[in-house]
Each structure stands twice: as structure tokens, then as C-alpha cells.
């Protein structure tokens, strides 16, 4: 009945994914390759979760 009030979990994860990518870009610009690699790995894990949720919704 009130499905429009529920937040979309994909949207929330996409926002986190975008933030991680931006942090990774900034770390790369500063020359911190270790932090860049860590943030990129975290963003890839988020992307996997996004893909799984999208497949479940389809």
C-alpha cells in the first residue's frame, strides 16, 4: 500500500558506489596508490551487490 515510501536499496548502493569512486579518484590524484586500490576494490564489491539486487528485481 505504501510502497512509494520505501527507499530503493539500489539507489542507496549506487550513491555509495559513486562516493567510493570519487574518493578513489582523489586518492589517485594525490598519488596514494594503495588507498586508490583499496577504494577501487570496495567500489567493485558495491557494484557486485548492485548487480545482484537488480537481477533479483527483474
Amino acid at each position: 500500500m505504501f510502497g512509494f515510501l520505501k527507499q530503493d536499496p539500489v539507489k542507496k548502493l549506487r550513491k555509495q558506489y559513486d562516493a567510493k569512486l570519487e574518493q578513489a579518484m582523489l586518492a589517485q590524484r594525490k598519488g596514494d596508490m594503495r588507498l586508490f586500490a583499496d577504494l577501487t576494490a570496495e567500489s567493485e564489491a558495491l557494484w557486485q551487490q548492485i548487480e545482484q539486487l537488480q537481477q533479483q528485481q527483474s
Side-chain angles (χ1 to χ4, degrees):
M1 183 172 169
F2 291 103
F4 65 91
L5 293 176
K6 288 185 178 179
Q7 290 187 356
D8 186 15
V10 173
K11 186 175 180 181
K12 182 179 177 181
L13 285 174
R14 176 76 63 141
K15 195 173 193 180
Q16 291 175 350
Y17 172 75
D18 291 337
K20 287 286 180 192
L21 284 181
E22 185 174 351
Q23 291 173 355
M25 178 199 58
L26 293 174
Q28 186 180 27
R29 283 186 179 175
K30 290 180 183 179
D32 191 351
M33 290 296 122
R34 183 176 300 252
L35 181 59
F36 170 73
D38 291 341
L39 291 171
T40 303
E42 290 176 19
S43 67
E44 288 177 6
L46 285 171
W47 185 253
Q48 293 297 324
Q49 290 177 357
I50 290 169
E51 286 182 340
Q52 288 175 355
L53 284 173
Q54 287 177 341
Q55 287 177 355
Q56 289 175 356
Q57 289 178 351
S58 297

